[in-house]
Amino acid sequence: MSFEFIEVADMSTEADYEPKNIFLTGGAGFIGSHAAILLAKKYPHYNVVVYDKLDYCACIENLNEVMDLPNFKFVKGDICSSDLVTYVFKENKIDTVLHFAAQTHVDNSFGNSFAFTQSNIYGTHVLLECAKNCPTMRRFVHVSTDEVYGEGEDFDAKPMDEEHVLEPTNPYAATKAGAEFLVKSYHRSFKLPVIITRGNNVYGPHQFPEKLIPKFANQILRGLPVTIHGDGSNTRNFLFVEDVARAFDCILHKGEVGKIYNIGGCNELPNIEVAKSLIKILGKEKEMDDYITYVPDRKFNDLRYTITSEKLHKLGWKEEMSWEDGLRKTVEWYKTYTNRYGNIENALVAHPRMTGTSPTNI
């Protein structure tokens, strides 16, 4: 049976929601930093408070563009600290939460899954309870992932819509699904005005190099072969991070309370093709065979995720960055800023097990 959110009449009938004071978790991480930059620069009349623990895959330099803006503030803090979250809510009269902070790397979840439960489930629970008790709260946007749907078992499968049953296959995805159920329960029980998003794989500047595209790019830049899991046939649909930030801009203002929105693109490629594209862009095409190596697969590696974003398109969002242009822009960024995260050698191994404290950031 599909879950239906209770409608909150005074919220869902608004044409365009306008926040005043935004609390954005994980904003020194990857997607969160791009969302924070877009909102702080595009809407100078909004106050944007980024809240981040600065774990291994976060970097304060990701926010350099907005750090000195009068409507921007950074607070170093853990989403599991209810006292600090409550204090920041009160001091800044927070009316909107954009919750990006999470443990996200699947390889890590196979070796350190308790940290994922702590960050993704308990951390989300803390935020929900603080939001429930915050008298100025008007919107809570929870950032989830397409991985909660589980594996698309073949290439003829119908794209999954927001009502599809959740069948996560790894500890990371399971904790994100668990967090979603908490978010839904706070809407049902306490009328908290929530929206949930589920997105495809995202790539672009600011991404810590444990993920596929920045990992491959940094391996090649160091003269190392890329490490392909299994036979490289597993596919993912990739979205450029600036398109994703625009999607959150759209959902924040036009999304309906109690709804779920998929954020998906049109660039589904097998991992081996992603690797070959990066090798070509970095001028190593003649040495293609030397730059490709195959390593043992993950414990379980979903074949593909296929989602439809029709609901989001109806709000007015569309993907704008082409795969080729986005990939080139990403590579150029890593050529310049490959040292932003310090020593990343541990992230470039075939199956990294990063050991930072939780939570890390999307």
Side-chain angles (χ1 to χ4, degrees), residues 210-227:
E210 65 188 356
K211 299 296 178 72
L212 186 88
I213 289 176
K215 180 175 181 174
F216 285 0
N218 279 279
Q219 285 173 328
I220 299 165
L221 286 169
R222 287 162 170 73
L224 301 171
V226 300
T227 48

Side-chain angles (χ1 to χ4, degrees), residues 108-262:
N108 279 354
S109 79
F110 287 125
N112 187 24
S113 58
F114 291 158
F116 283 69
T117 301
Q118 175 76 3
S119 300
N120 299 352
I121 296 180
Y122 181 73
T124 298
H125 198 170
V126 168
L127 289 175
L128 290 165
E129 187 66 15
C130 294
K132 181 197 75 173
N133 295 323
C134 178
T136 55
M137 190 61 55
R138 299 175 59 220
R139 196 71 102 240
F140 189 109
V141 180
H142 176 72
V143 182
S144 191
T145 171
D146 61 359
E147 294 198 37
V148 298
Y149 292 124
E151 183 178 42
E153 296 181 356
D154 58 62
F155 289 94
D156 296 321
K158 179 181 177 182
M160 301 175 190
D161 63 22
E162 290 83 354
E163 299 304 316
H164 194 280
V165 65
L166 304 189
E167 295 184 299
T169 60
N170 59 66
Y172 157 61
T175 60
K176 293 298 286 185
E180 281 198 29
F181 283 112
L182 276 170
V183 174
K184 292 174 181 179
S185 75
Y186 269 71
H187 182 65
R188 181 179 291 277
S189 295
F190 306 112
K191 307 300 186 291
L192 189 68
V194 307
I195 295 172
I196 293 173
T197 70
R198 297 174 182 151
N200 276 155
N201 280 38
V202 184
Y203 73 100
H206 301 182
Q207 190 172 30
F208 186 74
E210 65 188 356
K211 299 296 178 72
L212 186 88
I213 289 176
K215 180 175 181 174
F216 285 0
N218 279 279
Q219 285 173 328
I220 299 165
L221 286 169
R222 287 162 170 73
L224 301 171
V226 300
T227 48
I228 303 288
H229 289 183
D231 62 5
S233 64
N234 299 74
T235 72
R236 296 294 183 266
N237 209 323
F238 295 95
L239 265 174
F240 189 65
V241 67
E242 291 177 7
D243 279 335
V244 176
R246 289 190 306 99
F248 282 103
D249 181 13
C250 179
I251 290 166
L252 174 62
H253 292 93
K254 298 182 180 298
E256 185 177 345
V257 165
K259 297 298 183 183
I260 302 170
Y261 294 93
N262 286 339

